[in-house]
Amino acid sequence: MTSSTRKDASEHTGGAGLLVDEVVGVGEAARAARADAYDRWLRGLLPGRPGVALIAVGGLGRRQCAPHGDLDLVLLHAGVPGVDELAAAVWYPVWDAGLRLDHSVRTVAEALSVAQDDVKVALGLLDARLLAGDAALADTLARTAADHWRRTAVRQLPALREITAARWAAHGELAFLLEGDLKEAAGGLRDVGILRAVATAGITDALRPAVRAAHLRLLDTRDALHRQVGRRVDRLVAQERDGVAALLGLRHLPPCEPVRPDPSDAPRDARVVGDGDALLRRVAGDARTVSHALDDAFRAADRLRSGRRRGADGRPLRRPVARDVVEHDGELVLARTAIGARPDPSLSLRVAAAAAVTRLPIARATCEWLAAYCPPLPAPWPAEARAALITLLGAGPGLVPAWETCDRYGLIERWLPEWTRLRSLPQHNPVHRFTLDRHLVQTAYEASRHTREVDRPDLLLLGALLHDVGKGLPGDHSTVGVPLAEAVAARIGLPAPEVALIGTLVRLHLLLPDVATRRDLADPVTIAGVAERVGDPTTLDLLHALVRADAAATGPAAWSQWKGRLVAELVTRVRTALDTGALPAPPAPDPALLAGPLPVVHLTADRVAVAAADRRGLLATVAGCLALHRLEVLSADASTVDGRALVECRVQPRYGLAPDPIALGADLRRAVNGDVSVTQRLRGRALAARSDPAAPRVVWHREAATDAVLLELRAADAVGLLYRVTCALDEAGAQVRAARISTLGGDVVDAFYLVGGWPDDATRARLEAAVLAAV
């Protein structure tokens, strides 16, 4: 724990805020010092009077006060007159001090009645601690509340479990989130309170030493987060991690300098750079400890409530579920014959697969036995072990809890030594919601939804588990991960062709979405290039299933109907090329744009098509008008047919609300006809929305198109960016026949197909400078 110091609080006569502000540092001693400061101040607010007691619950009741935590107080009374005035004498000074207060005024009978109806209140009373007043009255409440909880806990825990599950669904799992809530997420501080209640009821030894240590570290992290932000906050967001880590003594150090895990040893130097990744991994480990203990506690309560199922002979029922695995009291345990014989190296995998398929938990004693006595797997694995792994990965919803249980007891890294490096590894990308290890397991779960669409479902599941195995190492993870994934596949016992196919899936797992969103799918060069890299329809189908599973496991920002349609279109075209050897012909222009007087404007929910008299700058004009109406352009195609300039754009609302189609159509017609007022309005709005991005970059691709050169812009996203860039290209004399817009978090990768070869270095440099100046 970190050391804490406190100046003499007796010299202050102000509110509690001054007293608590004198407490510096984070850790158990600092929390106790804050509690002492609050205790002294609150005792002075309640005049001595029989039959009245001021009770602390919550963090103050437990003497675990966070730097910017709130106060939970109960004014307990025995029916004395004037209690409302007494309450006001306590509450108003607390509010005047600027403190958050959760308060109530109750008799003992009222408090117990509320606790009987509200399990959260019942848990809160277990932390009740006398601050001032009638000690006998406070003792009566504490003893009675604890006795009542011990008698009714088994009956009340199902309701508490339902509330807890709803909270988990809302806040997610702290162990796997990149920006988790330290209090409310599964495995957080709120769950430790439930474990404390389970231990008080004597149901199980819920507060084991590992849980207590994890709890203290989570409290330290929350304290440091409050100090770092300067207010009450429980969500550990990315931008605060390094600062919180520095306060906890988790520092970036040279390789030769040993890391000192005790924050009390860390110098209080503002120049210290905290290791946010180390902090996230520590939080993940502690949250796993808490979550696993709570799962054990809830199952123990279930067994007490339902009683053991027994057969006619009175012995507990045991149901075989797989070889060497039986169900006993709602948990999976080893068959007696498996324990007595020399254990098979594949036993732990077979137990995990049985747990995933049956969705039953593995008993703690069984996990401990497997960790202690199951021998390591040989290389290559026996067929039975390989089959058990594929069964585990393809089990669907049962995969994640079974995998996590095995990981808690060190079984996963015995199967896959690479897992130690991957565990709790942060992914520094805003579209990702999970740490790397959970993302890989989640991808395998999502891939199980597509196993019937591919010829080799086993390779799809294994490829899903290994597709990002190169992350965290220098270089492109799609390239770095190939030898790592192939080594795993070989160790598992796959034949050489299948090992190579796993490597191909890892190398190309981003190919389809990258090409679909950044390249012209009507260009034969695009299709031929993908077909050449993929090689055969089996690999194509595996990649298509993998990209959908990967996106679903990443988060909602990683996929959209538009991206799904583009990827499906690319797959269809590439399959045709692989099956027939024929490349698709460019699509014919929309006939509706070739008839009728100009301009022609067609609007649908996701498509804007314009035909106008052939002139330069039409694409820029349309792009600017769409930006004015808060529409994001996803793709754009420009062509000239019989003297008509055609522009077709795929769009989506920037803020989720579609624009008024009448106003949009009117502005488009006026703009393409050269209305100066519209042009000025477009340029003014776009320039006003310009951002100040850091180091935009232009990349040229000379062989990526049939009749054009590809200019790729990588920059920060901004309203009107496409308009400004297309204006710059037009003014520089470049003709854009197609554009593909790809947004990745706060950045964009925009690809522009420029007609002509653009072979001259000086001309390309001039064009590149114009584009960068427009950004």
Side-chain angles (χ1 to χ4, degrees):
M1 297 302 144
T2 57
S3 62
S4 75
T5 59
R6 182 180 53 80
K7 294 182 181 179
D8 186 2
S10 62
E11 65 188 53
H12 296 287
T13 57
L18 289 174
L19 298 174
V20 175
D21 283 345
E22 296 297 326
V23 180
V24 298
V26 297
E28 191 170 17
R31 289 188 289 273
R34 291 185 201 101
D36 289 341
Y38 279 129
D39 286 1
R40 283 190 293 273
W41 180 62
L42 291 170
R43 287 189 193 113
L45 300 180
L46 183 69
R49 185 170 176 182
V52 179
L54 184 61
I55 306 295
V57 293
L60 181 57
R62 297 187 299 273
R63 295 180 55 80
Q64 294 171 348
C65 299
H68 296 281
D70 54 3
L71 296 180
D72 295 315
L73 301 175
V74 178
L75 188 63
L76 193 66
H77 66 98
V80 298
V83 69
D84 290 340
E85 290 78 6
L86 286 174
V90 177
W91 306 154
Y92 278 100
V94 175
W95 288 324
D96 290 342
L99 300 172
R100 295 166 58 101
L101 174 64
D102 187 357
H103 61 91
S104 61
V105 180
R106 290 181 178 133
T107 64
V108 171
E110 290 169 344
L112 295 175
S113 176
V114 174
Q116 189 169 3
D117 297 331
D118 189 335
V119 67
K120 291 191 291 185
V121 173
L123 263 61
L125 291 181
L126 298 179
D127 299 324
R129 182 171 64 87
L130 175 66
L131 294 176
D134 193 326
L137 188 66
D139 183 63
T140 299
L141 174 65
R143 282 189 296 100
T144 308
D147 290 344
H148 178 266
W149 173 251
R150 292 188 185 96
R151 292 195 308 271
T152 64
V154 173
R155 295 199 310 270
Q156 294 198 69
L157 278 177
L160 179 59
R161 190 173 193 171
E162 184 176 341
I163 296 170
T164 302
R167 171 168 54 81
W168 291 345
H171 295 279
E173 299 172 84
L174 181 57
F176 307 116
L177 293 173
L178 296 172
E179 295 188 337
D181 190 304
L182 296 170
K183 185 175 182 180
E184 302 293 346
L189 294 170
R190 184 79 73 185
D191 286 351
V192 179
I194 301 174
L195 288 172
R196 189 166 50 251
V198 171
T200 300
I203 294 173
T204 184
D205 57 336
L207 292 178
R208 297 187 292 274
V211 175
R212 293 179 185 274
H215 179 212
L216 291 177
R217 284 191 294 267
L218 288 173
L219 287 172
D220 290 350
T221 304
R222 185 184 63 176
D223 290 357
L225 179 60
H226 283 203
R227 284 294 187 200
Q228 173 70 15
V229 179
R231 58 185 173 85
R232 177 186 174 181
V233 59
D234 295 322
R235 188 169 174 234
L236 184 60
V237 296
Q239 61 265 32
E240 306 296 351
R241 281 203 297 261
D242 285 350
V244 172
L247 290 172
L248 293 172
L250 300 172
R251 301 177 295 142
H252 280 299
L253 298 172
C256 59
E257 183 177 349
V259 176
R260 290 175 292 192
D262 187 347
S264 64
D265 294 333
R268 299 301 174 196
D269 188 339
R271 295 170 297 176
V272 169
V273 178
D275 189 342
D277 287 1
L279 172 63
L280 194 61
R281 286 188 155 188
R282 191 177 85 169
V283 168
D286 292 336
R288 279 180 155 124
T289 298
V290 172
S291 290
H292 199 71
L294 190 54
D295 286 343
D296 281 348
F298 278 143
R299 290 201 301 272
D302 289 343
R303 289 194 294 271
L304 283 175
R305 186 174 61 257
S306 60
R308 290 189 171 185
R309 292 180 298 164
R310 298 181 180 274
D313 58 357
R315 300 175 65 181
L317 288 177
R318 293 167 64 90
R319 178 177 68 91
V321 297
R323 185 166 73 88
D324 297 326
V325 187
V326 299
E327 178 191 354
H328 176 75
D329 274 353
E331 296 179 326
L332 294 188
V333 300
L334 294 175
R336 296 184 180 93
T337 53
I339 297 175
R342 182 179 180 181
D344 177 358
S346 66
L347 181 59
S348 60
L349 270 165
R350 291 191 285 108
V351 173
V357 170
T358 62
R359 302 189 196 178
L360 291 173
I362 308 172
R364 188 175 82 187
T366 299
C367 291
E368 293 171 346
W369 190 94
L370 290 171
Y373 299 110
C374 191
L377 287 158
W381 288 11
E384 191 172 26
R386 189 165 58 253
L389 176 63
I390 298 304
T391 300
L392 171 62
L393 295 178
L399 165 62
V400 174
W403 190 278
E404 174 62 12
T405 296
C406 292
D407 198 18
R408 286 298 304 154
Y409 288 92
L411 300 178
I412 301 296
E413 59 197 31
R414 296 172 70 174
W415 309 335
L416 305 171
E418 298 81 1
W419 201 253
T420 302
R421 181 180 61 80
L422 305 175
R423 185 184 293 112
S424 303
L425 186 68
Q427 302 194 81
H428 299 290
N429 188 307
V431 301
H432 277 280
R433 57 178 172 169
F434 291 134
T435 53
L436 179 58
D437 56 338
R438 175 57 185 275
H439 171 71
L440 295 175
V441 178
Q442 190 73 24
T443 304
Y445 161 66
E446 299 291 348
S448 68
R449 303 172 185 269
H450 304 290
T451 51
R452 297 183 182 180
E453 304 171 15
V454 298
D455 293 338
R456 291 299 305 270
D458 54 336
L459 299 185
L460 171 62
L461 294 170
L462 188 57
L465 182 69
L466 299 175
H467 74 283
D468 278 346
V469 72
K471 283 189 174 179
L473 299 174
D476 181 354
H477 76 279
S478 298
T479 302
V480 174
V482 172
L484 301 177
E486 289 178 342
V488 172
R491 189 166 67 246
I492 286 173
L494 296 182
E498 295 177 8
V499 170
L501 182 50
I502 290 295
T504 299
L505 294 181
V506 173
R507 181 184 298 107
L508 302 182
H509 75 273
L510 296 178
L511 174 67
L512 297 182
D514 283 353
V515 171
T517 56
R518 302 180 188 178
R519 298 294 182 264
D520 183 5
L521 303 187
D523 194 320
V525 171
T526 300
I527 305 305
V530 174
E532 181 180 2
R533 296 186 68 184
V534 171
D536 59 78
T538 295
T539 304
L540 179 65
D541 289 338
L542 288 170
L543 287 170
H544 190 201
L546 177 55
V547 71
R548 286 175 286 166
D550 187 13
T554 297
W559 198 247
S560 65
Q561 290 184 349
W562 165 78
K563 181 180 281 189
R565 286 197 303 268
L566 287 181
V567 170
E569 179 183 349
L570 174 61
V571 169
T572 299
R573 290 170 178 263
V574 173
R575 181 178 290 109
T576 299
L578 290 171
D579 289 341
T580 67
L583 297 174
D590 185 351
L593 298 178
L594 302 179
L598 297 176
V600 179
V601 176
H602 284 181
L603 305 177
T604 64
D606 63 351
R607 178 175 175 267
V608 173
V610 175
D614 189 14
R615 67 177 180 85
R616 288 176 52 186
L618 182 62
L619 175 58
T621 299
V622 171
C625 195
L626 297 178
L628 179 66
H629 287 265
R630 298 176 179 175
L631 283 173
E632 291 182 332
V633 178
L634 305 174
S635 67
D637 292 287
S639 59
T640 302
V641 179
D642 297 332
R644 291 183 173 223
L646 312 179
V647 173
E648 297 184 63
C649 300
R650 290 288 178 180
V651 298
Q652 68 181 11
R654 177 172 283 270
Y655 302 111
L657 297 176
D660 180 358
I662 296 177
L664 174 59
D667 273 350
L668 282 169
R669 290 183 179 89
R670 293 168 58 199
V672 300
N673 280 333
D675 189 312
V676 176
S677 64
V678 177
T679 304
Q680 289 175 341
R681 187 157 53 107
L682 294 174
R683 185 173 291 275
R685 175 71 64 87
L687 291 176
R690 289 187 66 169
S691 63
D692 186 22
R697 183 185 175 200
V698 166
V699 179
W700 294 87
H701 300 273
R702 299 296 303 278
E703 308 296 333
T706 304
D707 58 350
V709 66
L710 193 64
L711 182 152
E712 191 174 81
L713 171 65
R714 303 173 184 177
D717 192 15
V719 176
L721 178 63
L722 179 60
Y723 169 63
R724 298 196 302 274
V725 173
T726 49
C727 280
L729 291 170
D730 179 65
E731 292 169 359
Q735 180 184 350
V736 180
R737 74 159 175 80
R740 295 294 179 269
I741 314 303
S742 180
T743 303
L744 306 171
D747 291 341
V748 296
V749 180
D750 293 350
F752 299 92
Y753 285 77
L754 308 182
V755 176
W758 294 85
D760 183 69
D761 291 343
T763 305
R764 287 202 309 273
R766 177 175 56 83
L767 187 62
E768 180 176 331
V771 169
L772 294 176
V775 173

